[in-house]
């Protein structure tokens, strides 16, 4: 910004415009959701009868079960995508250029199409034997893993681009085999990137809705699906409370993963 804007007044103006945009686009919607979550009624410009009854409802009964489902789905889908994405990123580094580009295109394909299309594809592909997953929780977990796989693959691939090959070469020159180099050199150096990939995968999975609606069974309903159903029924305050809980829990998970990533980076 200092290159584009020379004067102090100009910098202040740009910062002011930026602050207004952030407040309108990000802060105001989230603040409105939190206010609705605490409201007993909202007939005027501001909510009234504020309290935590809506939050209490969101932390009990069906909503609590949906929150548990979302957490389990996000953690399992994140773990699957992290393992597959890391494996693919490592394997593509040893492959010819054309195969590396093909792998990159295939793993980024879910990002290029609507999530509803991904959900429909998973539903059709895994709704017949021998891979009959329809009606089970695993089809939801699989759909989420497919959607977040691209981000895990990208994070690890980017980290590998910056990884100094001298570490691996030094270990190989001392007689370390491929497995030992992978486990004791490459993966420890990739731990910060793996932590970032895991955090992104979990955050995206926690808020996923489009593909989930296509595949979820009644016994495995995620919190975004429950929030959507409440909004559709006109239960706006309960939906806002569920959304607030979803945001807070997602942030807590990201903070925990961030601390793990920070400790890994210090090592």
């Amino acid at each position: 910004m200092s290159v584009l804007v020379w004067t102090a007044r100009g910098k202040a103006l740009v910062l002011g415009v930026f602050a207004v945009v952030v407040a309108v686009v990000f802060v105001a919607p989230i603040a409105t959701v939190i206010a609705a979550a605490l409201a007993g009624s909202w007939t005027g410009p501001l909510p009234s009868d504020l309290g935590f009854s809506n939050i209490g409802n969101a932390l009990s009964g069906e909503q609590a079960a949906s929150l548990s489902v979302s957490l389990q789905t996000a953690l399992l889908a994140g773990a699957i995508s992290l393992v597959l994405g890391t494996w693919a990123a490592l394997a593509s580094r040893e492959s010819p250029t054309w195969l590396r580009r093909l792998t990159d295109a295939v793993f980024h394909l879910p990002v290029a199409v609507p999530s509803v299309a991904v959900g429909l594809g998973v539903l059709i592909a895994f709704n017949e034997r021998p891979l009959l997953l329809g009606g089970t929780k695993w089809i939801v977990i699989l759909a989420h893993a497919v959607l977040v796989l691209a981000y895990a693959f990208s994070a690890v691939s980017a980290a590998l681009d910056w990884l100094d090959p001298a570490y691996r070469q030094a270990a190989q020159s001392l007689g370390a085999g491929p497995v030992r180099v992978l486990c004791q050199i490459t993966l420890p150096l990739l731990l910060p990137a793996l932590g970032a990939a895991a955090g992104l995968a979990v955050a995206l999975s926690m808020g996923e809705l489009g593909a989930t609606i296509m595949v979820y069974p009644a016994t495995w309903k995620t919190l975004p699906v429950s929030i959507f159903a409440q909004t559709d029924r006109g239960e706006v305050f309960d939906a806002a409370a569920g959304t607030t809980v979803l945001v807070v829990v997602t942030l807590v998970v990201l903070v925990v993963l961030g601390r793990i990533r920070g400790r890994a980076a210090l090592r």
Side-chain angles (χ1 to χ4, degrees):
M1 186 178 69
S2 60
V3 177
L4 300 177
V5 181
W6 295 91
T7 64
R9 184 176 181 180
K11 293 179 182 179
L13 179 61
V14 171
L15 288 174
V17 172
F18 177 75
V20 170
V21 171
V22 170
V24 172
V25 176
F26 297 103
V27 177
I30 295 176
T32 302
V33 169
I34 295 174
L38 299 175
S41 61
W42 198 331
T43 56
L46 295 176
S48 57
D49 301 328
L50 299 180
F52 293 95
S53 59
N54 296 328
I55 301 294
N57 294 335
L59 293 172
S60 62
E62 183 180 348
Q63 291 293 85
S66 295
L67 176 60
S68 175
V69 167
S70 288
L71 277 171
Q72 294 177 63
T73 301
L75 293 175
L76 287 171
I80 293 171
S81 66
L82 192 62
V83 171
L84 293 179
T86 302
W87 169 77
L90 290 169
S92 66
R93 282 296 175 275
E94 307 298 330
S95 304
T97 302
W98 68 268
L99 185 56
R100 186 184 306 174
R101 292 176 179 175
L102 178 62
T103 303
D104 187 75
V106 169
F107 274 79
H108 284 92
L109 185 61
V111 181
V113 299
S115 60
V116 174
V118 174
L120 181 60
V122 170
L123 181 63
I124 295 173
F126 297 97
N127 206 34
E128 297 289 344
R129 296 186 183 279
L131 294 175
L132 179 57
L133 300 179
T136 70
K137 66 180 181 180
W138 295 108
I139 195 168
V140 180
I141 294 169
L142 178 61
H144 282 227
V146 171
L147 288 169
V148 302
L149 183 57
Y151 301 96
F153 174 79
S154 297
V156 178
S157 294
L160 286 171
D161 289 337
W162 288 95
L163 195 63
D164 191 347
Y167 294 106
R168 185 181 62 182
Q169 294 168 359
Q172 290 173 339
S173 67
L174 294 173
V179 175
R180 189 172 183 182
V181 171
L182 175 64
C183 295
Q184 297 187 3
I185 303 297
T186 305
L187 289 180
L189 291 173
L190 288 176
L191 280 178
L194 294 175
L200 183 59
V202 169
L204 291 172
S205 177
M206 287 289 290
E208 209 292 313
L209 178 63
T212 310
I213 287 181
M214 301 295 297
V215 300
Y216 82 96
T219 56
W220 198 257
K221 184 187 296 185
T222 62
L223 188 53
V225 173
S226 296
I227 293 170
F228 177 80
Q230 288 177 326
T231 305
D232 194 48
R233 295 193 299 264
E235 301 171 0
V236 179
F237 295 153
D238 289 332
T243 303
T244 302
V245 170
L246 179 64
V247 171
V248 171
V249 171
T250 302
L251 289 176
V252 170
V253 173
L254 290 179
V255 168
V256 172
L257 291 174
R259 290 180 65 88
I260 296 174
R261 183 183 63 183
R263 291 179 181 178
L266 289 175
R267 293 179 183 178

